[in-house]
Amino acid sequence: MVLRRPPTLRAPWLRLLTTMAALWFAPGPAGADPGPLTAEETCAAVGGKLSSVSAADCLSFRMTKSGESRHGRAILLKEYPPLKQRPPQARVLVLGGVHGDEYSSVSIVFKWMKQLDAHHSGLFHWMIAPLVNPDGLLQPVSQRVNAAGVDLNRNFETPDWQAQSRDYWQRQTGSDPRRFPGHAPLSEPESRWMKERIDAFKPHAIVSIHAPYGLLDFDGPPTTPPKRLGRLTLSPMGTFPGSLGRYAGLELKIPVITIELENAGVLPPPAEVQEIWSDLIRWLRTHVHASSSPAKGK
């Protein structure tokens, strides 16, 4: 499970951070602004929210505060650069927690980071953000959208955004507030942060983790997509105005692999977590290379 549970903490400073997290989750109005939080404070809050990621786990990765959410919580980031003795390697951007109520999409990234901490071979240059939407996750009741009520996966600047995003939202979703695209493209600091990382890092592939459709999606240039990662099989879902798949995959021509886990609140068994990761590495090794043209940014 990846739901709330009391963490086991011994160090006094970790107990202090946990107490601070409890104060942030005290009853109050939904969407209340806690004020800017450091990387350490955000880790404490994450550890107070997820059962499979403690504050100590989060802190152990020594992530940096790369950006801020609308409410000033840290967007945490870690890079695993290629080893010096290797030639230039393909760059892979991994995004978890774009939707704040998809707990498993956050937790599984932390599990994979533990693999990289122990076994990073320099085969790829990784840039990993386990929680892009901290405001959504860290609400008293977690929500898909960010603190402004915007679905970050509908807020990218695609050419059809102005003409189609609002119409699509109204006609196709019935004005579902969980899929509100915002009042303007890139109106949200979290979606701007993702765009800026794509522009600067110029990834050769993007891996975005979601839940709970239990499938594998792919958008991007003509190539052979992975047919299976673990038990998840390829079932293309198409793209939407303002979605990452349409922006990075179709417009920037970057392969975008979307992993849709089967359950938003429960992690797959450890063996399945490992199998998805191993299958992903095998596909990247054979289909993503530093010699391919990365995104040029916009």
Side-chain angles (χ1 to χ4, degrees):
M1 296 287 292
V2 290
L3 300 177
R4 177 79 165 88
R5 62 100 174 93
T8 302
L9 302 173
R10 297 180 180 178
W13 60 275
L14 285 178
R15 287 199 298 270
L16 174 61
L17 290 179
T18 304
T19 301
M20 294 169 65
L23 292 174
W24 295 324
F25 296 126
D33 186 345
L37 302 184
T38 64
E40 291 77 13
E41 291 166 339
T42 300
C43 269
V46 170
K49 190 73 172 183
L50 301 178
S51 68
S52 60
V53 182
S54 69
D57 291 335
C58 182
L59 289 165
S60 71
F61 293 109
R62 301 183 182 276
M63 293 178 286
T64 60
K65 181 176 182 176
S66 175
E68 288 189 353
S69 67
R70 181 169 282 271
H71 278 178
R73 292 182 172 100
I75 299 177
L76 301 171
L77 186 71
K78 182 164 184 179
E79 285 194 57
Y80 295 85
L83 303 182
K84 290 182 178 179
Q85 64 268 31
R86 284 186 173 271
Q89 299 299 305
R91 296 180 292 278
V92 183
L93 175 64
V94 179
L95 303 172
V98 173
H99 293 144
D101 59 356
E102 297 171 2
Y103 293 3
S104 59
S105 76
V106 181
S107 296
I108 198 168
V109 177
F110 279 106
K111 300 299 183 185
W112 291 340
M113 289 171 67
K114 186 170 289 188
Q115 292 279 327
L116 284 172
D117 272 4
H119 304 295
H120 177 48
S121 64
L123 184 63
F124 299 103
H125 182 175
W126 299 93
M127 176 178 282
I128 300 183
L131 177 54
V132 175
N133 183 9
D135 290 348
L137 175 72
L138 299 175
Q139 298 290 333
V141 177
S142 299
Q143 60 188 34
R144 173 186 172 99
V145 294
N146 77 341
V150 174
D151 182 346
L152 301 176
N153 200 33
R154 301 293 185 273
N155 194 237
F156 286 95
E157 189 177 15
T158 54
D160 56 3
W161 198 95
Q162 296 291 353
Q164 296 185 18
S165 63
R166 185 60 60 93
D167 181 72
Y168 182 92
W169 176 60
Q170 293 172 340
R171 291 178 180 272
Q172 299 297 322
T173 76
S175 300
D176 181 357
R178 287 169 43 82
R179 289 168 173 79
F180 178 57
H183 296 289
L186 297 175
S187 60
E188 305 310 302
E190 300 92 345
S191 52
R192 291 195 298 271
W193 180 89
M194 286 188 280
K195 178 190 182 301
E196 289 164 1
R197 299 289 76 70
I198 292 170
D199 287 350
F201 187 54
K202 294 181 171 53
H204 296 90
I206 298 173
V207 180
S208 183
I209 301 92
H210 289 268
Y213 290 109
L215 54 82
L216 189 63
D217 192 11
F218 181 86
D219 302 293
T223 187
T224 303
K227 301 299 184 184
R228 177 185 295 271
L229 298 182
R231 293 192 306 166
L232 305 176
T233 57
L234 183 66
S235 182
M237 300 174 67
T239 64
F240 312 95
S243 69
L244 176 65
R246 186 166 295 188
Y247 171 69
L250 301 189
E251 297 300 322
L252 299 184
K253 308 302 182 186
I254 305 170
V256 177
I257 303 163
T258 301
I259 296 172
E260 281 277 351
L261 301 173
E262 294 178 333
N263 194 302
V266 180
L267 264 175
E272 179 73 4
V273 170
Q274 179 60 50
E275 188 176 5
I276 295 171
W277 177 250
S278 298
D279 288 348
L280 174 64
I281 297 297
R282 278 192 287 270
W283 183 84
L284 290 170
R285 289 185 67 175
T286 55
H287 292 85
V288 177
H289 307 285
S291 58
S292 60
S293 298
K296 297 180 180 179
K298 295 182 72 175

